[in-house]
Amino acid sequence: METNGLENKLKGLEGDPDLQFLLKGGDLLKVLSPSWKKTRYFRLQEDCKTMWRESKKTFKKNDTFSLDDISAVQMGRQSEGLKKNTEEQVEDRCFSIVFKSRRKNLDLISSSEEEGKQWVKSLQKVVSNLNNLSRKQKTEHWIFSCLRKADKNKDENLSPSEVKSFMHLINIEVDDEYVEMLFKKCDRSQSGTLAGEEIKHFYDLLTQRDEIDVIYEEYAKTTGFMSAQNLVDFLLKEQREKATLADAHRIIETYEPDENAKEKKLLSKDGFLMYLNHPDAMILNPDHKDVYQDMSQPLNHYFISSSHNTYLMEDQLKGPSSTEAYIRALQKGCRCVELDCWDGSDNEPVIYHGYTLTSKILFKDVIKAISEHAFKTSQYPVILSLENHCSVEQQEVMARHMSSILGSALITSPLGDGMPTNFPSPEELKGKFLIKGKRLNKLEDTFAEAAADDTDVTEEEDRAHENKHITTHLTLAKELSDMVIYLKSVHFHGFEDAQKNLSFYEMASFKEGKAMKLAEESANAYVRHNVEKFSRIYPAGSRTDSSNYNPVPLWNAGCQIVALNFQTPCTDMDMNQGRFLVNGKSGYILKPAFMRDVATEFDPITLTRGDWLKHKTLHVMVISAQQLPKVNQKKSSIVDPLVKVEIYGVPADVAERETEPFDNNGFNPSWNENFQFDVYVPELALVRFSIEDYDSSSDNDFVGQYTIPFNSLKMGYRHVPLFNKNGDLLPSAGLFVHIMVLDAE
């Protein structure tokens, strides 16, 4: 079966020397510790997507990993592991493969600097190429790799049993009669095997999208094709887009694969599907992908993507602390990271989870990692939330490290002249770091020499008290205190006290339980408080497994810094990813206007929003799904997928509907089920599409999900991309739906 040449052409890498280098492979030194460095043979498999690693263990299978799982390939001793476990003299031979999921980095040493550079260059090229494939190309690539696996005897032909094996690989359970019928349809040579064009015909039958055919044929009024005017009609009527003939011509020019049709300004069925599969035509409004909101409002008028215990890779009792955890959070758009600081040996402060067995990392290494990676995903400001348990001497060291490493990017005095009366904006703070922590005095007293000690309660002291630990109150180093400008930690004594006695920059941290109670019982007061002040929410100390809480009720109350455990995949993190999916993934989302008004009447519980409260009705038709992954690759079972559509928002909007399960088909299941939702506060609502593998005897297994702000939905026939449990894109999988949003009568 001539699939290898086809795949190389797909990626435009046929005969490419970098690809050939990976296909040949070579020996690399794998590094796990200063004493554990062992040679392993690495090679790219023929599917041009899977890396194979030879294992020397007698009973261990050789390891593989997909290039789709690679986040980055870094030259040099950049990773925490290589810095700790190798000497400087091998710097030029080192490189790291960084993975998207919670999988540890693969730290490697090549035999020479030249070879190391070749590995990095080749991997970066092929990974980039894979990432830039169109959805159609990704599907073809995946299907052909499954075809190769099914071709057990490697004769480049498919027997009936190999066809059935292939169907199983792509997640369809079929009976022998169906395989026989399909086989006969394709075996035009009647040779008893499929080869060449017969395999191509088999592929075409498999990937036929009947639901697309129905839509296309309704508008293809020009000798079986869509004319530019037909396409305009489709865009206006179905997709509710303002489209002109010029727009239609641009779409045909961009997506039509047939040169003859393109010349006649016609769109074929293939061109139509390629257009619908393009990211700009999917469910997320393309205008919302980049920064589209006003970024010149005061900082506290935004929801801010925030992490709790950022240093942890796993749980809070004995899990490892790592600078990699900070890098991963920042790469996901997090803009507020937490640093739990304690005295370390050699007068070097460390970061770890106090009173636990979690490992320790140097404070200065964390600041270096943050400095290097803070603004790669987003240019908007990063908040360093300090939980400070250090002696005055080591606090002074902390201040020196931040000053020397962060330099002029660290805000150490108010912007502009004189005492500020409000927060600067994210736009004004681009590329800057803000410190959240204690101050010895009020900002207004900056020039006063005498300063009273502050006795504010922090999250860490709060937790220590709960755990019956006795802590002595630590004095604060002036050098560190003076770095706290716009985010001074104070204790909360009620909304009235805050309004009367607290300056705008003085903010409280709330444990999730207390915050939830306030959000339920004093919702409007909380919303008003957050118009003028900042609020940070953190998980309960009892969550030793680093589990999370639902952030939505806190956003509904206007809380800006709702800190979650980024290291823990869960529905709550899906909500966070969905909330911050838009606005350039900047980590900042402008709060609705009614949450930025000091006199607001908005109450998320009772929905008191005056006469202008008008709700929307959302109509969702779940049509079909494509190329769903198996839940467990080791299991032989095929998924029985069902789709859930959920609304998260104010209590009145919370709703959930689900389809019937579709038996034994994860490749191209279809449902054609309609749901309707009333949405009263669309500005705060999130829509979550999730797919589960139905199980009648136990809990359903998660397959994939996509969460999107309600106001970023596009109407009409739309493909929905899917993320895995870690929040990474599933390359070929997707959902196909029809969306309609109407003003309620």
Side-chain angles (χ1 to χ4, degrees):
M1 156 189 355
E2 296 185 12
T3 57
N4 196 40
L6 172 60
E7 287 178 356
N8 289 343
K9 285 173 190 168
L10 273 175
K11 297 190 289 295
L13 293 178
E14 189 176 23
D16 183 271
D18 294 321
L19 178 62
Q20 296 307 314
F21 172 81
L22 294 177
L23 288 168
K24 182 182 176 186
D27 284 336
L28 290 165
L29 207 58
K30 183 183 172 188
V31 180
L32 279 185
S33 72
S35 58
W36 198 104
K37 298 182 180 76
K38 298 198 177 174
T39 302
R40 295 288 181 262
Y41 186 78
F42 288 82
R43 176 171 60 80
L44 184 64
Q45 293 189 327
E46 288 180 347
D47 65 358
C48 302
K49 185 178 178 178
T50 308
M51 282 297 290
W52 176 86
R53 181 177 78 210
E54 179 189 29
S55 175
K56 301 288 185 185
K57 290 185 181 175
T58 310
F59 298 108
K60 190 175 180 184
K61 287 185 178 178
N62 293 322
D63 284 338
T64 61
F65 61 86
S66 171
L67 296 189
D68 281 327
D69 295 334
I70 294 177
S71 169
V73 185
Q74 300 173 336
M75 192 73 210
R77 295 166 66 247
Q78 290 193 51
S79 75
E80 188 176 39
L82 284 173
K83 284 175 184 172
K84 189 164 51 177
N85 300 321
T86 62
E87 303 297 326
E88 277 187 36
Q89 56 261 38
V90 296
E91 171 82 39
D92 297 334
R93 291 163 45 204
C94 292
F95 68 97
S96 297
I97 296 174
V98 182
F99 294 98
K100 292 175 182 173
S101 64
R102 296 170 69 183
R103 180 175 180 160
K104 289 180 180 175
N105 293 347
L106 190 53
D107 292 327
L108 302 163
I109 303 177
S110 59
S111 59
S112 68
E113 178 183 351
E114 184 183 358
E115 189 191 8
K117 285 180 177 174
Q118 181 66 62
W119 274 103
V120 171
K121 178 188 169 195
S122 301
L123 283 167
Q124 286 176 341
K125 180 187 279 189
V126 178
V127 168
S128 171
N129 217 289
L130 273 172
N131 289 340
N132 290 325
L133 289 179
S134 70
R135 188 174 173 136
K136 183 173 186 286
Q137 288 172 323
K138 283 178 181 173
T139 298
E140 288 179 0
H141 188 265
W142 176 66
I143 287 175
F144 279 112
S145 67
C146 290
L147 278 169
R148 185 181 292 102
K149 282 180 193 170
D151 182 17
K152 296 285 195 319
N153 59 4
K154 307 298 178 195
D155 64 353
E156 302 203 337
N157 296 320
L158 288 178
S159 66
S161 66
E162 286 174 334
V163 166
K164 187 165 186 184
S165 170
F166 165 74
M167 302 289 270
H168 214 268
L169 282 168
I170 64 169
N171 219 350
I172 310 179
E173 186 70 70
V174 286
D175 57 33
D176 292 341
E177 284 182 16
Y178 182 78
V179 171
E180 191 180 343
M181 180 272 292
L182 198 62
F183 195 88
K184 282 180 179 175
K185 220 178 215 183
C186 299
D187 185 19
R188 292 166 178 168
S189 64
Q190 298 185 333
S191 63
T193 61
L194 304 184
E197 283 301 310
E198 292 171 336
I199 292 175
K200 175 78 169 66
H201 182 49
F202 175 58
Y203 167 80
D204 289 340
L205 282 177
L206 271 180
T207 54
Q208 177 78 14
R209 295 274 303 273
D210 292 340
E211 71 275 33
I212 299 293
D213 293 353
V214 170
I215 301 163
Y216 180 79
E217 284 159 13
E218 191 177 332
Y219 287 90
K221 307 293 186 188
T222 311
T223 60
F225 285 84
M226 264 192 189
S227 67
Q229 185 56 54
N230 296 156
L231 181 54
V232 168
D233 293 342
F234 167 77
L235 293 171
L236 289 172
K237 184 181 175 186
E238 300 292 351
Q239 308 300 79
R240 303 298 174 105
E241 293 182 11
K242 295 174 183 174
T244 63
L245 276 173
D247 294 323
H249 288 146
R250 178 185 54 77
I251 289 169
I252 292 168
E253 185 62 36
T254 305
Y255 301 103
E256 179 49 56
D258 186 313
E259 290 300 325
N260 290 331
K262 189 187 286 189
E263 203 172 308
K264 295 173 184 172
K265 293 190 167 37
L266 296 174
L267 190 66
S268 67
K269 197 184 297 177
D270 281 348
F272 180 63
L273 182 55
M274 285 181 76
Y275 167 64
L276 287 180
N277 269 323
H278 190 271
D280 283 353
M282 289 189 182
I283 195 165
L284 174 62
N285 185 339
D287 294 339
H288 291 189
K289 285 183 181 177
D290 296 326
V291 174
Y292 74 98
Q293 295 182 331
D294 177 6
M295 301 302 280
S296 64
Q297 297 289 316
L299 196 68
N300 69 320
H301 284 186
Y302 297 82
F303 298 124
I304 302 173
S305 181
S306 305
S307 161
H308 174 253
N309 289 351
T310 315
Y311 46 89
L312 289 181
M313 298 288 278
E314 296 170 16
D315 67 59
Q316 299 181 196
L317 292 180
K318 58 186 189 310
S321 304
S322 172
T323 57
E324 302 292 341
Y326 284 92
I327 294 168
R328 290 182 183 190
L330 291 166
Q331 284 173 340
K332 289 183 177 181
C334 178
R335 297 289 86 189
C336 178
V337 296
E338 185 179 19
L339 298 88
D340 279 7
C341 311
W342 300 79
D343 279 359
S345 55
D346 302 322
N347 204 34
E348 282 293 348
V350 293
I351 288 176
Y352 82 111
H353 200 59
Y355 314 117
T356 69
L357 299 176
T358 56
S359 60
K360 299 172 182 178
I361 44 177
L362 291 176
F363 177 82
K364 66 178 177 183
D365 287 347
V366 169
I367 298 299
K368 282 177 190 171
I370 291 171
S371 177
E372 287 169 19
H373 296 272
F375 304 112
K376 289 187 176 179
T377 298
S378 167
Q379 285 296 304
Y380 290 97
V382 170
I383 297 167
L384 306 182
S385 180
L386 300 183
E387 291 297 340
N388 175 16
H389 306 270
C390 292
S391 62
V392 171
E393 291 75 22
Q394 294 209 13
Q395 288 177 43
E396 290 169 355
V397 176
M398 287 168 58
R400 284 200 298 275
H401 283 325
M402 288 194 288
S403 182
S404 63
I405 296 167
L406 303 179
S408 61
L410 180 63
I411 295 290
T412 55
S413 60
L415 301 189
D417 299 323
M419 175 64 202
T421 56
N422 207 345
F423 296 98
S425 69
E427 192 64 37
E428 291 173 289
L429 293 167
K430 262 187 174 178
K432 300 293 186 184
F433 294 96
L434 298 169
I435 306 296
K436 176 202 159 291
K438 295 181 182 182
R439 264 190 78 94
L440 288 166
N441 57 1
K442 288 253 189 187
L443 191 61
E444 293 88 336
D445 304 330
T446 298
F447 302 104
E449 294 206 356
D453 195 2
D454 204 351
T455 57
D456 305 327
V457 175
T458 67
E459 171 194 344
E460 209 67 29
E461 289 168 340
D462 193 25
R463 188 166 61 236
H465 179 69
E466 281 181 354
N467 293 341
K468 304 296 186 290
H469 289 288
I470 299 170
T471 59
T472 55
H473 185 67
L474 298 173
T475 319
L476 195 56
K478 185 175 187 301
E479 294 89 336
L480 193 60
S481 167
D482 288 349
M483 288 179 167
V484 176
I485 306 300
Y486 289 110
L487 299 165
K488 178 189 174 186
S489 300
V490 300
H491 197 44
F492 181 72
H493 297 290
F495 294 124
E496 193 177 335
D497 172 78
Q499 191 176 15
K500 282 182 183 176
N501 300 318
L502 297 185
S503 299
F504 76 91
Y505 58 85
E506 293 180 304
M507 62 171 291
S509 287
F510 301 84
K511 197 188 303 178
E512 64 172 276
K514 183 174 183 179
M516 291 286 190
K517 194 167 187 287
L518 289 171
E520 287 173 15
E521 297 175 2
S522 310
N524 178 252
Y526 213 173
V527 172
R528 289 191 181 199
H529 173 82
N530 288 319
V531 173
E532 297 182 298
K533 307 284 192 304
F534 255 109
S535 289
R536 173 180 172 269
I537 319 301
Y538 61 92
S542 57
R543 293 184 182 274
T544 53
D545 57 351
S546 289
S547 59
N548 278 307
Y549 56 97
N550 182 1
V552 175
L554 289 319
W555 289 327
N556 293 343
C559 299
Q560 302 88 345
I561 301 178
V562 182
L564 297 177
N565 291 305
F566 270 53
Q567 69 273 25
T568 307
C570 57
T571 303
D572 308 309
M573 272 306 297
D574 294 343
M575 292 301 104
N576 199 75
Q577 184 178 25
R579 171 68 73 210
F580 296 101
L581 180 70
V582 296
N583 206 34
K585 294 185 180 174
S586 63
Y588 284 84
I589 297 294
L590 185 63
K591 294 199 280 187
F594 56 81
M595 300 184 92
R596 292 182 272 129
D597 174 6
V598 290
T600 184
E601 294 178 7
F602 174 64
D603 187 314
I605 307 300
T606 60
L607 291 188
T608 307
R609 277 174 69 190
D611 297 331
W612 50 276
L613 181 62
K614 291 188 175 75
H615 76 276
K616 306 273 186 187
T617 301
L618 169 65
H619 297 267
V620 178
M621 183 182 188
V622 177
I623 301 171
S624 62
Q626 299 78 42
Q627 285 93 59
L628 301 177
K630 288 188 176 184
V631 171
N632 188 335
Q633 293 296 336
K634 293 176 184 173
K635 280 187 183 176
S636 59
S637 62
I638 304 299
V639 299
D640 302 322
L642 62 81
V643 180
K644 283 185 178 180
V645 184
E646 299 163 276
I647 309 294
Y648 288 81
V650 299
D653 289 344
V654 174
E656 177 184 321
R657 300 286 301 278
E658 67 180 54
T659 66
E660 291 294 317
F662 195 99
D663 292 340
N664 286 329
N665 187 341
F667 183 72
N668 55 3
S670 60
W671 294 275
N672 296 312
E673 292 192 39
N674 290 286
F675 304 133
Q676 179 177 321
F677 304 90
D678 289 325
V679 180
Y680 291 88
V681 189
E683 299 92 336
L684 291 173
L686 295 165
V687 183
R688 183 175 190 256
F689 299 90
S690 61
I691 299 183
E692 296 179 357
D693 179 14
Y694 174 73
D695 193 320
S696 59
S697 59
S698 64
D699 289 344
N700 296 344
D701 288 320
F702 174 88
V703 176
Q705 71 85 30
Y706 188 76
T707 305
I708 180 173
F710 181 92
N711 281 347
S712 295
L713 289 169
K714 288 284 277 184
M715 288 197 271
Y717 291 102
R718 303 289 174 182
H719 282 104
V720 181
L722 293 171
F723 294 117
N724 64 18
K725 66 177 181 180
N726 291 312
D728 299 317
L729 191 67
L730 290 166
S732 305
L735 189 61
F736 189 54
V737 299
H738 185 272
I739 300 289
M740 188 59 62
V741 178
L742 301 172
D743 291 324
E745 295 176 4

